[in-house]
């Protein structure tokens, strides 16, 4: 059967050049960068070259990049590390209500440790209001953490404006840019970002490796104790193949970004247009313009997301949903609820996230099968016109 | 994730639809968790002559709805009342643990429909 | 030039079968295990199969294995997680003075958080005395953490005896088995181990992945907050290729263990015999019998480790040393000092750690060049017979 992958926001395949490089660093260049012999020295150099490449992708300096085991670790580190190092200055953190769980659950953890957290609301397009950020600031505020782009609905936040406010007030600004890095131009200096989270597996790099950008001078504690790796800030034998792969993925992303944005955006527009024309009673979730180039998210009224997904899967199409049933929790997506969707409508959401390998034919195929599936499920539904 | 039987009932659900002038209608579930099931009964001489369902929900919700209609068609009301949610899950060769409580409500909907029938008949 | 790798305790090359599998899971089977579509389901299954294999290697149940980003994370998690979850029971931890920095520096971190830590001494062979463990226990003791085998001198600790004591007293027992797993038979039930750390890159698996074994029923907090991965105990998108690779490495290790131990032990004995015969004024570090099959560690009096290493490296031989100079710190190895070596002698230590790929010819080659190098360095030394 034809297999169509429309779930790039969940994870991406590893670029074939990246994979080849990783293979080389597993079997030939397998040394430990802490070793002083030739096996160690050759990989130490490669790790530093990868650091340069990751830094270049976001306009940072190499010394400001610290490799982690992924986005979740970097998010945990940013929040807990800033909290621990700046507790004397204050105990208040500002974030948004639509962050990834790696941020939200870490905030809940910090609340138990005595920190106080403001969860900013969002509008119906999932955007944070810059005025709300200003109003939330107190003399206790030590950190603002707002994601660059949302993983479910793709909405891009007013990062530049928030960065400006944070800078003026002397408050650290962290952004979880896991969904944006490699797919959208980012410059940490232009945006006044102090800390930034990225993860390899969201832009054709390997799983199990990510990075935290920490602006020089930011006060933060180390995350894991042990050896002196990552300039004593993150102990543990470096995941050399992963790091080298991340570097390569960053290099490729920077090189091809414009071309890929154009490609993915064309497909996205075609898909949105097709769905809108072919299927009644739907709602586009997320901001109509300020959204990630590859993100398509619709709610199909009277229909539940998991059954939609399973039907698409039977046709070979891989997608994702904000329905509770896909996550094993009771409530549907906190993002969709924060945007003001009712439970029913949130349950009927479908995310199709496009990537560089997708084609027009795949969009056509999806536009062929999706209307039938929605119609069939609606004919079974006790809700709505049904 | 789902057994072959679940997938069979999910992809080819039996007895989907409504019954006009049904003898009894039962509805359970809530939108919060994402499951709403409605069962329609056509009862004659305490025997379920026909049964149909409409369901908003995940794969498990649709499959259990379909299965329960198969289990009760032609049965007496007493027999139908003895069917439990667990029995429905078992008839489908089991459900993932996370789905056992959330979407395994089809027997409840059936029982509600029978209750509705009884009330209408003034029993 | 001939390149000889005698630094398997630092890291190992990835087994070629393991590498092939990892490649497959980067490019073909690249799904996210949390996804419910076919791309997700196929890898979810592979992750669970890998868990079975890792569990089988140490006699655990699959549900007791939690994947991490490596040995350091698992060590940090074990100590901090037990400390946080059992603080009400007590605030005392027992460990040894020759642990890896991933344990020692985490203990120092916990001391700053109000915990009290006993660092047990070791004898001249780097062994902990079981009586010392007993004496150190107080009614506040919540955890004993003693490594299975030491990374520098290879000494194997009395794990079974310590496990017995811990069980009798109802105290949790953690062992950092990073050096032993895959190279030495371990059964967590026979040894009464409650928590065990392992790392893939020490037994021909990938870097950047490890595991913490947590016996069912042990009270421990989660390590990273975020998604519901690893049964909510360790958030973050699973490093699927790494985990699958770790599983394969575990399977291979279990299968070949006896054969490999025999192979490596033969080489080790030949190397120890050769060095002893050919070079005067040396000292074998670590226990003469109770040591890892592939570990050779000598101090060469009047010689400094880094210059020894660099000279060996020039001849293509990769080794390691307990000299301060190789680690960037000032003091030489805390392990060698704890064993009672003087600073000078500790500085002259050389570790040659053998692996499955090494050959008799490589041992012969080393025995050919090493005596010359030592003699040359000694002729330059102001110390000793010079
Ligand atoms: C916005 C966002 N933040 C954080 C994460 C966590 O990253 P990872 O799962 O790679 O640890 C993800 C992806 O899962 C994400 O989409
Ligand atoms: C005994 C021991 N514990 C812990 C570690 C840390 O493991 P990793 O560097 O893979 O995080 C190592 C290896 O470096 C080790 O030898
Ligand atoms: S619809 Fe939510 S679990 Fe079934
Ligand atoms: S001998 Fe030179 S730094 Fe130690």
């Amino acid at each position: 059967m034809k297999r169509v992958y429309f779930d790039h926001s969940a994870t991406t395949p590893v670029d074939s050049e990246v994979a080849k490089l990783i293979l080389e660093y597993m079997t030939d260049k397998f040394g430990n960068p802490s070793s002083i012999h030739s096996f160690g020295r050759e990989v130490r150099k490669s790790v530093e070259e990868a650091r340069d490449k990751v830094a270049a992708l976001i306009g940072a300096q190499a010394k400001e990049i610290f490799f982690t085991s992924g986005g979740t670790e970097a998010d945990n580190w940013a929040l807990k590390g800033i909290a621990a190092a700046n507790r004397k200055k204050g105990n208040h953190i500002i974030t948004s209500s639509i962050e990834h769980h790696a941020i939200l659950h870490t905030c809940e953890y910090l609340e138990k440790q005595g920190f106080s957290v403001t969860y900013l609301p969002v509008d119906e397009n999932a955007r944070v209001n810059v005025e709300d950020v200003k109003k939330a600031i107190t003399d206790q505020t030590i950190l603002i953490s707002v994601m660059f782009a949302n993983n479910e609905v793709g909405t891009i936040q007013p990062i530049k404006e928030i960065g400006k406010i944070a800078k003026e007030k002397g408050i650290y600004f962290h952004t979880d840019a896991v969904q944006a890095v490699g797919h959208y131009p980012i410059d940490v200096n232009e945006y006044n970002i102090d800390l930034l989270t990225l993860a390899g597996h969201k832009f054709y790099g390997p799983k199990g490796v990510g990075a935290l950008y920490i602006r020089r001078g930011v006060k933060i504690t180390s995350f894991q104790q042990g050896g002196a790796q990552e300039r004593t800030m993150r102990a543990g034998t470096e995941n050399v193949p992963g790091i080298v792969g991340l570097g390569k993925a960053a290099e490729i992303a920077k090189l091809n970004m414009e071309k890929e944005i154009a490609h993915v955006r064309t497909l996205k527009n075609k898909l949105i247009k097709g769905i809108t024309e072919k299927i009644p009673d739907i709602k586009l979730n997320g901001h109509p313009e300020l959204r990630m180039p590859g993100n398509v998210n619709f709610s199909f009224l009277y229909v539940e997301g998991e059954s939609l997904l399973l039907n698409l899967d039977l046709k070979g199409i891989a997608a994702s949903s904000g329905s509770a049933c896909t996550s094993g929790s009771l409530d549907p997506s906190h993002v969709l609820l924060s945007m003001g969707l009712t439970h029913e409508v949130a349950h009927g959401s479908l995310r199709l996230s496009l990537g560089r390998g997708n084609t027009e034919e795949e969009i056509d195929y999806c536009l062929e099968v999706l209307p039938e599936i929605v119609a069939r499920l609606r004919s079974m539904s006790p809700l709505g016109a049904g | 994730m789902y057994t072959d039987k679940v997938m069979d009932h999910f992809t080819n659900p039996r007895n989907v639809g409504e019954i006009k002038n049904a003898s009894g209608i039962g509805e359970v579930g809530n939108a919060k968790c994402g499951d709403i099931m409605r069962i329609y009964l056509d009862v004659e001489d305490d025997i379920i002559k026909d049964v149909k369902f409409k369901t908003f929900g995940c794969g498990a919700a649709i499959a259990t709805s379909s299965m329960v209609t198969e289990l009760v068609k032609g049965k007496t009301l007493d027999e139908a009342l003895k069917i439990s949610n667990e029995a429905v899950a078992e008839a489908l060769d089991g459900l993932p643990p996370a789905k056992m409580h959330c979407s395994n409500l089809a027997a409840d909907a059936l029982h509600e429909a029978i209750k509705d029938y009884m009330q209408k008949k003034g029993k």
Side-chain angles (χ1 to χ4, degrees), chain A, chain B:
Chain A
M1 190 178 54
K2 198 183 322 209
R3 277 178 107 196
V4 178
Y5 191 72
F6 283 165
D7 204 7
H8 291 84
S9 291
T11 197
T12 55
V14 176
D15 178 275
S16 62
E17 255 189 273
V18 172
K20 231 178 76 190
L21 204 61
I22 290 175
L23 190 63
E24 183 186 342
Y25 280 81
M26 286 194 294
T27 51
D28 290 353
K29 304 188 178 167
F30 64 82
N32 186 324
S34 300
S35 301
I36 66 166
H37 48 64
S38 67
F39 293 83
R41 291 197 308 269
E42 68 183 0
V43 296
R44 156 71 43 224
K45 197 160 157 270
S46 309
V47 165
E48 296 316 318
E49 283 165 8
R51 206 183 301 280
D52 291 340
K53 289 172 186 167
V54 172
L57 183 60
I58 58 169
Q61 291 169 35
K63 283 199 167 183
E64 299 173 317
I65 301 296
F66 296 85
F67 294 115
T68 68
S69 67
T72 299
E73 182 185 327
D75 279 346
N76 272 257
W77 183 9
L79 268 54
K80 294 178 189 172
I82 291 290
N86 299 278
R87 181 147 206 169
K88 281 197 188 127
K89 219 185 123 200
N91 77 338
H92 181 233
I93 294 167
I94 298 171
T95 188
S96 87
S97 49
I98 60 158
E99 298 294 312
H100 190 269
H101 283 147
I103 294 289
L104 291 179
H105 290 167
T106 303
C107 283
E108 289 159 20
Y109 168 88
L110 287 171
E111 285 182 295
K112 281 191 205 123
Q113 311 288 314
F115 287 86
S116 127
V117 181
T118 300
Y119 300 90
L120 299 171
V122 293
D123 65 18
E124 71 278 11
N125 292 327
R127 270 207 129 204
V128 165
N129 184 328
V130 179
E131 289 307 312
D132 288 343
V133 178
K134 272 192 201 154
K135 276 185 236 151
I137 294 172
T138 74
D139 60 356
Q140 287 291 308
T141 309
I142 52 176
L143 177 68
I144 301 171
S145 178
V146 173
M147 70 200 314
F148 202 102
N150 182 265
N151 42 309
E152 295 188 30
V153 297
T155 299
I156 295 169
Q157 299 300 332
I159 295 300
K160 198 169 179 172
E161 291 80 352
I162 300 174
K164 196 159 162 265
I165 296 169
K167 194 180 180 181
E168 279 166 16
K169 300 276 183 180
I171 297 167
Y172 290 140
F173 177 37
H174 168 253
T175 186
D176 174 347
V178 166
Q179 288 292 331
V181 167
H183 304 291
Y184 197 89
I186 297 180
D187 185 304
V188 290
N189 292 315
E190 186 189 331
Y191 290 176
N192 286 310
I193 296 165
D194 295 309
L195 303 111
L196 178 147
T197 293
L198 62 91
H201 72 107
K202 305 285 189 185
F203 59 102
Y204 312 101
K207 290 184 177 63
V209 61
L212 182 63
Y213 154 78
I214 308 174
R215 182 180 291 282
R216 200 201 302 231
V218 166
K219 270 165 94 180
I220 186 166
T221 60
S222 69
F223 190 61
Q224 285 183 179
Q225 280 72 46
Q229 292 91 352
E230 297 296 289
R231 300 207 305 292
T232 75
M233 291 302 281
R234 200 279 187 186
T237 299
E238 295 88 342
N239 177 358
V240 179
I243 288 170
V244 170
L246 180 67
K248 189 75 192 170
E251 185 180 54
I252 295 172
K254 194 172 152 75
L255 208 65
N256 299 342
M257 193 172 300
E258 259 182 78
K259 212 178 66 197
E260 284 198 9
I261 290 179
H263 169 68
V264 158
R265 187 173 278 148
T266 306
L267 296 183
K268 177 200 71 171
N269 290 341
K270 184 180 163 104
L271 186 55
I272 290 182
K273 186 156 170 282
I275 291 177
T276 311
E277 284 171 7
K278 295 193 167 195
I279 308 180
D281 295 340
I282 60 173
K283 181 186 171 329
L284 180 70
N285 296 316
H287 197 285
E289 285 101 40
L290 298 169
R291 71 189 298 139
M292 286 302 292
N295 178 288
V296 175
N297 189 312
F298 277 102
S299 282
F300 298 87
L301 307 193
Y302 324 131
V303 164
E304 193 278 331
E306 191 200 273
S307 43
L308 205 51
L309 282 192
L310 288 177
N311 273 299
L312 281 170
D313 187 47
L314 289 168
K315 296 283 185 190
I317 299 175
S320 153
S321 163
S323 171
C325 321
T326 66
S327 64
S329 79
L330 275 180
D331 281 320
S333 152
H334 64 285
V335 176
L336 299 175
L337 295 182
S338 296
M339 292 162 64
L341 269 64
T342 63
H343 276 75
E344 280 120 16
V345 176
H347 270 294
S349 80
L350 178 74
R351 179 185 73 186
L352 301 152
S353 45
L354 313 181
R356 63 155 91 129
N358 290 134
T359 61
E360 297 239 5
E361 289 72 46
E362 291 176 336
I363 303 291
D364 289 333
Y365 176 61
C366 181
L367 288 173
E368 196 186 305
V369 302
L370 184 59
E372 288 170 22
I373 292 172
V374 173
R376 208 169 63 82
L377 287 173
R378 281 182 177 167
S379 75
M380 293 168 58
S381 172
L383 302 178
Chain B
M1 178 170 84
Y2 287 133
T3 64
D4 290 346
K5 264 206 183 142
V6 171
M7 287 310 287
D8 176 36
H9 277 265
F10 170 68
T11 45
N12 304 297
R14 334 291 201 247
N15 306 307
V16 178
E18 295 174 30
I19 296 176
K20 288 236 164 73
N21 305 316
S23 328
I25 299 177
E27 184 171 309
V28 296
N30 72 62
K32 204 173 175 204
C33 140
D35 283 310
I36 298 172
M37 297 181 186
R38 195 182 295 156
I39 298 248
Y40 302 83
L41 294 179
D42 179 12
V43 181
E44 241 174 71
D45 300 334
D46 278 1
I47 289 181
I48 298 176
K49 287 278 178 207
D50 197 10
V51 51
K52 295 238 186 271
F53 81 89
K54 283 217 156 180
T55 287
F56 166 84
C58 61
I62 289 171
T64 52
S65 308
S66 166
M67 179 51 90
V68 86
T69 61
E70 280 222 317
L71 287 177
V72 301
K73 213 176 207 177
K75 294 266 161 67
T76 65
L77 292 180
D78 280 349
E79 285 168 331
L81 281 168
K82 285 194 190 113
I83 292 174
S84 65
N85 289 334
E86 288 71 26
V88 175
E90 227 167 85
L92 289 164
D93 295 338
L95 288 174
K99 299 282 181 183
M100 278 305 279
H101 299 290
C102 189
S103 12
N104 190 15
L105 304 168
D108 294 347
L110 170 72
H111 298 164
E112 287 300 315
I114 295 174
K115 225 199 277 171
D116 180 51
Y117 165 74
M118 305 274 213
Q119 260 163 12
K120 278 184 185 155
K121 282 201 64 181
K123 285 193 182 174

